[in-house]
Amino acid sequence: MSAESLHASATELLRRWRPAESADASLREALLAFLDSAPRGCLRENAAGHITASAVVFSHDGSEVLLTLHPRVGRWIQLGGHCEEGDATVAAAALREATEESGIADLALEPELYGAQAHPITCSLGVPTRHLDLLFRITAPPGAVPVRSAESTDLRWWPVDRLPPDADVLIRQT
């Protein structure tokens, strides 16, 4: 568990990912180039930008997605956050973040990359940076009731076909 294992896991995930959309393929190549130039690029200390671990949490039947009203971003987004040196992989970081932010136990993570996004943001570093999100699909157990953490203004389930108008979340048709 180290910056090296996070970097290796991010690189391997992106190498295996075969996005259907050309914009996603271009983002994949940019993220791989970023990782080639930033050995500690999975940690928030990399002020120019850093890989973040995002979790698109679906209800057990896939009809709803759990979103957080993020206090810093001011929009409804997927759960997730910074990788930590104690995380063995980016996938493990996404599962940790989803569990911490949702309060839901027994989440099931699909290990392959669900998608990727890049966002300019002023995060906890206090300076403008980029969050380079690696997204994972996670499924909640039946009857899961989320509990809002201190990292969220609000937290709730949304039908996948009726997301809030200002939502910034990637929902792929499966």
Side-chain angles (χ1 to χ4, degrees):
M1 296 184 289
S2 65
E4 292 80 18
S5 69
L6 285 165
H7 189 280
S9 75
T11 301
E12 183 58 29
L13 283 164
L14 287 162
R15 284 186 179 145
R16 285 195 314 256
W17 186 38
R18 298 290 176 246
E21 303 292 325
S22 62
D24 287 339
S26 178
L27 178 58
R28 174 188 174 271
E29 294 306 314
L31 292 173
L32 284 167
F34 165 77
L35 286 166
D36 282 347
S37 69
R40 294 182 64 83
C42 291
L43 298 175
R44 84 175 83 203
E45 70 189 36
N46 198 67
H50 38 271
I51 297 292
T52 51
S54 290
V56 183
V57 179
F58 287 90
S59 60
H60 75 284
D61 62 1
S63 67
E64 296 178 308
V65 65
L66 185 62
L67 299 180
T68 179
L69 183 56
H70 195 281
R72 186 171 279 133
V73 176
R75 291 192 316 251
W76 291 97
I77 62 174
Q78 71 267 353
L79 308 182
H82 293 104
C83 298
E84 298 175 1
E85 286 202 61
D87 296 318
T89 64
V90 179
L95 183 59
R96 175 186 52 76
E97 285 285 340
T99 302
E100 288 174 0
E101 292 183 11
S102 72
I104 299 172
D106 301 322
L107 295 170
L109 176 130
E110 292 182 18
E112 293 303 317
L113 204 55
Y114 180 72
Q117 295 176 315
H119 306 280
I121 190 169
T122 299
C123 67
S124 57
L125 291 173
V127 296
T129 187
R130 288 209 175 274
H131 276 183
L132 308 171
D133 296 342
L134 297 188
L135 291 91
F136 296 86
R137 182 184 175 108
I138 294 179
T139 304
V145 177
V147 177
R148 185 180 62 82
S149 75
E151 296 180 43
S152 178
T153 301
D154 197 359
L155 181 70
R156 69 174 81 151
W157 292 108
W158 292 89
V160 294
D161 60 351
R162 289 190 312 267
L163 298 176
D166 64 341
D168 185 8
V169 62
L170 178 68
I171 303 291
R172 296 206 183 281
Q173 300 302 321
T174 56

